[in-house]
Amino acid sequence: MNAASKTVDLIVRAGYLVTSDPDLPVLPSGAVAVADGEIVAVGTDEAVERDYAAADVIDAKGALVHAGFIDPHLHLLSATFHSFGLDALAKSCPTYSDKTDDEITAAITRAFSIAMLRKGYTLFAEPGTVFETDAMAEAIAGCGMRALVAAPFAWDELSVIWAAAPALVGGRAILDRAPADFDRSMAACERELKRNSDPRALVRGFVCIYGEGSASEELMVAAKKLARNHGVVFNEHLGYLTATYALERKKFGMSGVRRLLQLDLLDNLTTLTHLNAISAADADILVAEGANVIWCPLNVLQRALFLASESQHIGLFGRGTAIGLAVDTTLSFLPGTPALAASLLSGTLQQPLSGADILCMQTLDAARCLGLDAQMGSLTVGKRADIVIRAIGDIMQTPAGTPDNLLGISGSTIPVDTVIIDGRVVMRHGRATLVDESAILSEAVEQRKRLLERAGF
């Protein structure tokens, strides 16, 4: 340190930096300086240590250091039913349970937030399938995690889903808590956006309607207008199943994507989830309008959806569309596993993606899908300090070649040592720093039993 050094809050040094910043993707021995929750310097150890000083210095000892992973579409309460498998959804609608309460939701959310930190995730988006959003938000923030939350089941017209895929509605009991109604849906969307009054809030709101043919034109237009007025992303499910997409086309005389175009709802703050059933013409529209796409390749593989419809996600990525990689539901799969699925599916389709491509889908492109790429998604000066330091363990955790290749495809299998969110250390040496993990897990198991009993398991 010299007399001219600037004092900062934290320095991470001696890391193998994988930044997700296209201008400086990899730095074999690098450091990151953090002040007031923001990244103020990224560079070599020598340069950062020459210009900055901090009381708190974390020595990464050559471990992989990267921007926190982001899952842009994750139905949180599906974690309650993890390992039951996909068929459990048809039995009792567990992913979108109508039988939750504040205690159940808070307990499961805290345990799930710890699980996400352990996989190297610093942010996820819950797309409107949790009723107790306040309890969820408080639990997430208490663990130091970030999230976006949305209005529960924003919909007002269910004829397409009832006809083509009634299981997606979740049963009549869901409608008792979330009637298919324009006014209720809009009021719920507006309520979640009040979280954004604090620009530093860890849990913020976004506009997400359920989609998949479940919204009137009035609701879609009003929801997008609300999103534009608040500068947040507008999101919906679309084209998950060929049956719903085909029925929507038949009902309106055009594809769902073209319908959005005609309503002037497509722009760089519109993000569509799934799009398994879209056509080449739909893909052209998305590219021209600059919309974003969330890809859930585990669903595609498990349901063999790519055998019956065109797979456009990889082609869209190659044409510059932001593609965020998401797990969707954790009934059968853990967060982080979509990366391997994306790699395998791209090979099967003879459109191979590199590890760097898949890493981008979990960091910078995922942030773009949530309208947050100016704030996070890469280790870049001026962005929020959401930083993950992986553990140094066996030979399989130490890349011999390009580290973003290993991190992109297999990152979730490498243990996490440290997680920093908004400049605060929320996990150190693989343990949460803000909460008692053992107590959280014990409570979550008890509350899970309550929910399983209520759901008839």
Side-chain angles (χ1 to χ4, degrees):
M1 182 179 105
N2 61 55
S5 296
K6 301 175 184 177
T7 300
V8 294
D9 300 323
L10 171 68
I11 292 174
V12 176
R13 68 172 303 277
Y16 201 146
L17 301 191
V18 184
T19 69
S20 295
D21 183 339
D23 294 330
L24 183 68
V26 175
L27 198 58
S29 182
V32 182
V34 176
D36 193 28
E38 182 178 298
I39 296 172
V40 296
V42 178
T44 63
D45 286 324
E46 294 77 10
V48 172
E49 291 174 350
R50 180 190 65 228
D51 297 336
Y52 296 91
D56 190 0
V57 177
I58 297 176
D59 189 343
K61 299 179 180 178
L64 292 169
V65 177
H66 63 92
F69 284 178
I70 297 169
D71 192 306
H73 188 87
L74 196 156
H75 297 285
L76 185 145
L77 288 174
S78 64
T80 309
F81 295 82
H82 177 65
S83 81
F84 273 89
L86 199 61
D87 291 342
L89 181 62
K91 177 180 178 182
S92 189
C93 310
T95 304
Y96 317 124
S97 177
D98 60 292
K99 300 172 179 64
T100 54
D101 57 29
D102 281 351
E103 284 186 295
I104 290 171
T105 293
I108 298 302
T109 299
R110 282 189 288 268
F112 183 77
S113 296
I114 298 302
M116 291 294 280
L117 292 173
R118 287 181 173 276
K119 294 290 185 182
Y121 283 84
T122 54
L123 167 66
F124 65 90
E126 210 299 324
T129 52
V130 173
F131 284 104
E132 299 82 11
T133 55
D134 287 343
M136 174 175 63
E138 183 179 357
I140 293 167
C143 296
M145 185 80 181
R146 288 192 195 275
L148 293 185
V149 300
F153 300 94
W155 53 22
D156 69 339
E157 210 295 309
L158 299 178
S159 61
V160 169
I161 289 184
W162 278 128
L168 294 181
V169 177
R172 294 289 179 183
I174 289 285
L175 296 177
D176 291 339
R177 298 184 75 178
D181 179 79
F182 174 88
D183 290 334
R184 180 204 64 85
S185 296
M186 287 302 300
C189 288
E190 291 169 4
R191 181 182 184 277
E192 298 307 323
L193 292 179
K194 292 179 180 178
R195 303 182 192 282
N196 299 355
S197 59
D198 178 3
R200 291 286 296 272
L202 290 175
V203 181
R204 298 169 61 81
F206 73 119
V207 176
C208 179
I209 62 174
Y210 192 82
E212 205 67 14
S214 68
S216 66
E217 292 186 357
E218 181 186 17
L219 179 57
M220 289 193 293
V221 170
K224 178 59 179 178
K225 181 180 180 181
L226 180 66
R228 282 175 171 148
N229 288 343
H230 285 262
V232 300
V233 76
F234 166 76
N235 177 225
E236 67 166 283
H237 297 83
L238 186 67
Y240 174 52
L241 298 175
T242 302
T244 52
Y245 203 63
L247 188 57
E248 189 175 10
R249 178 191 292 271
K250 181 178 180 181
K251 180 176 180 178
F252 297 103
M254 66 185 77
S255 72
V257 169
R258 185 164 293 279
R259 186 176 173 217
L260 292 172
L261 175 67
Q262 290 204 355
L263 294 172
D264 189 30
L265 306 185
L266 295 178
D267 56 33
N268 67 336
L269 282 177
T270 295
T271 298
L272 305 174
T273 301
H274 293 307
L275 294 179
N276 298 322
I278 65 169
S279 67
D282 287 335
D284 290 341
I285 291 171
L286 295 171
V287 172
E289 299 301 316
N292 314 299
V293 176
I294 295 173
W295 182 26
C296 305
L298 288 165
N299 300 95
V300 174
L301 284 169
Q302 190 174 47
R303 291 179 175 270
L305 297 173
F306 72 101
L307 298 178
S309 61
E310 297 181 58
S311 180
Q312 297 285 348
H313 305 88
I314 301 167
L316 285 167
F317 179 79
R319 298 169 70 182
T321 297
I323 304 290
L325 205 56
V327 71
D328 190 21
T329 146
T330 61
L331 282 172
S332 304
F333 306 107
L334 293 173
T337 51
L340 182 58
S343 178
L344 294 173
L345 185 55
S346 72
T348 300
L349 297 171
Q350 298 184 341
Q351 302 174 65
L353 293 165
S354 71
D357 293 336
I358 295 171
L359 178 63
C360 179
M361 293 177 181
Q362 297 170 92
T363 52
L364 189 56
D365 268 14
R368 286 173 177 151
C369 285
L370 300 178
L372 296 173
D373 51 301
Q375 303 168 46
M376 54 197 71
S378 65
L379 301 182
T380 303
V381 172
K383 293 192 177 185
R384 306 312 301 171
D386 293 358
I387 305 167
V388 175
I389 305 173
R390 297 285 170 171
I392 297 176
D394 56 47
I395 191 66
M396 301 303 293
Q397 297 165 208
T398 307
T402 308
D404 51 8
N405 206 38
L406 172 65
L407 191 59
I409 297 174
S410 302
S412 67
T413 68
I414 302 174
V416 167
D417 180 89
T418 301
V419 179
I420 300 160
I421 296 180
D422 211 43
R424 178 169 62 168
V425 178
V426 300
M427 181 163 281
R428 189 76 175 110
H429 304 308
R431 300 291 296 179
T433 62
L434 305 181
V435 293
D436 183 335
E437 288 189 23
S438 297
I440 282 175
L441 180 58
S442 177
E443 175 64 13
V445 169
E446 288 303 310
Q447 293 298 332
R448 182 175 65 185
K449 289 179 182 177
R450 285 185 61 219
L451 182 54
L452 289 172
E453 289 173 0
R454 289 183 176 190
F457 284 83

